Amino acid sequence: MEHRLAWYPTPSYLVKRKAIVEFLEKVPVRRVLEVGCGAGDLLRFLAGRGYSGVGIDLSAEAVAAARAIADLSRFRVEQAEVDDVSGIFEVVIASEVLEHCLDDVAFLRKLRRKTAEGGRLILTVPARMAKWGANDELCGHVRRYEREELRARLVEAGFEPLTVVSYGVPIYNLMKPFYDRAVVGKVTEVELLERRTEKSGGMRLLPRLGGLFALLFNDVTMYPLYLIQRLFYRTDLGNGYVAVALNPRGEG
């Protein structure tokens, strides 16, 4: 029997998804490439709003999970590297990917080659090295980003940064210590592998609680927190950044 990710969204993932979609809705685009699509929740969410395109991930397990929930008439889901994807896209999304890359500028240049002239790149990354914790170690992060550092990397790769906002206040701030405590000294080698393939920010530490989490945490119950996080976009108080950048030229 094929094994699939037992994935469900956490509050910190939902506020991140909300921020991504808010920026995506500001540009007239329908064709999207998601790099590091994980279990496929964002692909499913975007398909329901009329978007189409391609989702890729390096993990075969993640790709199988994404194919199980994505609308495959709108999104093609592949186990692939960025350079393996054909065509260019109006928007490229890479959520919680860049912090895993030793040479992040080289990776950004790969993303730029897949971004149409005048198109947008949307990134999410963990914020501020001062917030480094056990969960960063577990997930295989190379770094957490400072706001101006992230802008500088985008410029070096040929993008024009449009905005960098701090997301997740206050819920992500409250959840992060839980994530850090949950992994210290309690992670088997198998769990480590699974967690490192988890790109979409969902929860798998307590898979039997998936139904309860879906009931407690959704767009209706989280709406007040979506509004609150906007008040802190211009601060550096959140645990993550969402960056939106323009590709001013077609060539990569």
Side-chain angles (χ1 to χ4, degrees):
M1 176 183 291
E2 182 182 25
H3 177 64
R4 290 178 179 164
L5 270 66
W7 183 95
Y8 51 93
T10 60
S12 53
Y13 167 74
L14 290 173
V15 291
K16 175 173 60 183
R17 187 181 72 182
K18 181 63 175 178
I20 291 172
V21 173
E22 282 181 352
F23 289 112
L24 188 58
E25 289 174 341
K26 294 177 181 178
V27 293
V29 59
R30 285 291 174 240
R31 185 160 169 77
V32 175
L33 168 65
E34 185 184 7
V35 177
C37 65
D41 176 78
L42 185 59
L43 298 179
R44 173 174 58 182
F45 193 85
L46 294 179
R49 284 151 182 79
Y51 295 91
S52 62
V54 177
I56 63 171
D57 203 284
L58 296 179
S59 165
E61 185 186 21
V63 168
R67 285 176 176 165
I69 70 169
D71 182 348
L72 299 182
S73 69
R74 304 198 68 89
F75 278 94
R76 189 170 76 251
V77 183
E78 301 176 347
Q79 184 180 4
E81 300 268 5
V82 175
D83 290 337
D84 297 330
V85 180
S86 59
I88 59 174
F89 299 81
E90 297 162 287
V91 170
V92 174
I93 301 171
S95 180
E96 309 304 299
V97 176
L98 194 63
E99 65 275 12
H100 296 270
C101 301
L102 290 174
D103 190 340
D104 52 357
V105 174
F107 185 75
L108 286 170
R109 287 173 177 152
K110 289 184 179 183
L111 298 182
R112 186 170 162 239
R113 287 194 288 270
K114 297 302 172 185
T115 309
E117 181 175 359
R120 304 294 196 273
L121 171 69
I122 301 179
L123 298 173
T124 75
V125 297
R128 307 186 65 193
M129 280 299 294
K131 295 179 179 289
W132 186 271
N135 196 51
D136 294 290
E137 299 275 358
L138 176 65
C139 292
H141 293 171
V142 177
R143 67 188 72 77
R144 298 177 71 90
Y145 283 88
E146 311 301 326
R147 184 190 294 266
E148 292 308 313
E149 176 189 18
L150 183 55
R151 286 183 176 274
R153 296 288 198 278
L154 287 164
V155 170
E156 189 175 351
F159 284 101
E160 178 185 331
L162 299 178
T163 188
V164 179
V165 304
S166 179
Y167 80 89
V169 179
I171 188 64
Y172 192 6
N173 302 66
L174 297 174
M175 294 292 291
K176 186 179 184 302
F178 165 76
Y179 296 148
D180 287 339
R181 288 195 301 271
V183 302
V184 174
K186 298 180 180 180
V187 182
T188 68
E189 183 176 350
V190 172
E191 289 170 331
L192 176 63
L193 176 62
E194 288 181 349
R195 192 63 183 273
R196 283 183 173 172
T197 64
E198 179 186 328
K199 301 295 186 183
S200 296
M203 172 64 77
R204 290 196 289 166
L205 296 176
L206 301 169
R208 293 181 181 178
L209 296 183
L212 178 61
F213 262 59
L215 179 64
L216 294 177
F217 305 117
N218 52 66
D219 280 340
V220 175
T221 61
M222 292 289 293
Y223 186 72
L225 293 171
Y226 294 161
L227 297 180
I228 291 172
Q229 80 167 350
R230 293 178 191 166
L231 301 176
F232 295 90
Y233 273 173
R234 299 302 172 187
T235 74
D236 289 308
L237 297 177
N239 278 302
Y241 289 124
V242 178
V244 181
L246 171 74
N247 181 17
R249 302 183 302 279
E251 71 276 9

